[in-house]
Amino acid sequence: MDPRDGDIGETATCTTCRFKEDNSNYWTMVMYFKHRNGSFIRVPQIANENTGTPDGGMTIYYIEPRSPTKNLTVTTFPKGFRMRVGNPMSRKQDYAMNVAAVNQTTFRCWDGTGIGPGTPGTGAQDTRDFPKGPCFGGIRTQVYFPQCWDGVNLDSEDHESHVAHPVGIPARDGSLMFGTDCPDTHPVRIPFLFMETVWDTKPFNHPDLWPEDGTQPLVWSMGDPTGYGHHADYVFGWQGDSLKRAMDDEGCMTSYPGICEVLTRRSEEEMARCRLAVRVPEITEGQYIEKLPGCNPIQHGPEPATAIPNCDAVSTTISIPIQTSI
């Protein structure tokens, strides 16, 4: 939904989120596995740790600022707010190690024994590019959205310039995301969004499926085989003042939605009924396909990827959604 078309929180009729009041849009690209024969298949999403048994999806955290930051007062998003984090055209590490953005998008390679140690983004099993070897428990992708706003613009041309990460002294684990201050250019502290998505790479761990030269076979749907193009979008859509009420409630600001009494918790069946049907007549999952959907050839870098001119793929040119099956 486009926030320019009205208040998403009030106009949306359904949500796959756990809380009924949250009609926000959370988006990330899709992961594919490239077989050694050159074909691709979509990697399924699975439920995160301690989230029940939903059909894939993401886990979204709203995190409070913590000391020693001076910006402890949070301003909830205004209607029409949106932002993006990460650059889909990146094919190399673009950030210095002393800035927060270096850990804004990362991967955690689960070894099959648990969720792994350390703060997401700086843990021992975390990388900024695709893991180089098989992950026997799957892969969890981790996204920190900017938590500082210029206080004026609901969006910007690149969907990023109106927001920023905090600055300051890194914590002992190397993270700059916690306890640091908003820069003077973006002085308003907004809710700190953290997104986790778990990808079931276990069916693709057999050596016979991997390239003969041992290179890693995963690729993002926009043709990125490095992982550095990892990005995500957010469009605000909470109903009324429900987000503020939730962030003011001690029970809601835990990792357990079941004790958030000021919001309406929905069952997994209710969430599943809000899933959209396929809207584009193109096979994108459930079987191997010859090339990635859309006009997204593999671009290895390290130079930035480029958009393909005059793209005629159905996924980018269709004007009327058409129901199809796979």
Side-chain angles (χ1 to χ4, degrees), residues 133-252:
C135 298
F136 297 104
I139 294 174
R140 188 181 74 190
T141 51
Q142 306 162 152
V143 176
Y144 290 110
F145 281 86
Q147 51 187 299
C148 303
W149 177 42
D150 64 13
V152 178
N153 297 292
L154 299 179
D155 195 8
S156 50
E157 186 174 354
D158 61 1
H159 308 300
E160 297 180 67
S161 299
H162 61 305
V163 290
H165 291 293
V167 295
I169 300 174
R172 283 182 294 178
D173 63 4
S175 176
L176 279 156
M177 297 296 180
F178 303 96
T180 42
D181 297 321
C182 286
D184 293 340
T185 55
H186 297 77
V188 180
R189 178 78 71 171
I190 52 177
F192 185 20
L193 296 186
F194 177 57
M195 173 192 294
E196 293 177 334
T197 308
V198 182
W199 306 89
D200 189 11
T201 58
K202 298 188 295 295
F204 310 109
N205 283 339
H206 198 283
D208 289 346
L209 300 175
W210 281 48
E212 294 185 39
D213 63 3
T215 56
Q216 77 82 25
L218 299 174
V219 57
W220 286 129
S221 52
M222 67 284 186
D224 173 23
T226 69
Y228 289 118
H230 189 185
H231 62 290
D233 300 336
Y234 171 72
V235 180
F236 173 73
W238 284 80
Q239 296 176 6
D241 66 346
S242 56
L243 176 57
K244 185 180 188 310
R245 288 190 286 108
M247 296 196 70
D248 288 343
D249 183 85
E250 183 177 347
C252 294

Side-chain angles (χ1 to χ4, degrees), residues 269-323:
E269 292 74 18
E270 290 174 307
M271 294 161 63
R273 285 198 294 269
C274 287
R275 291 188 61 178
L276 288 174
V278 175
R279 299 171 66 87
V280 177
E282 181 179 21
I283 295 175
T284 61
E285 59 183 309
Q287 66 184 63
Y288 278 95
I289 53 180
E290 293 185 2
K291 60 181 182 178
L292 294 173
C295 297
N296 291 294
I298 300 296
Q299 299 187 59
H300 292 273
E303 62 278 355
T306 57
I308 304 303
N310 304 315
C311 177
D312 59 357
V314 63
S315 57
T316 58
T317 58
I318 185 169
S319 58
I320 302 176
I322 300 174
Q323 178 64 44

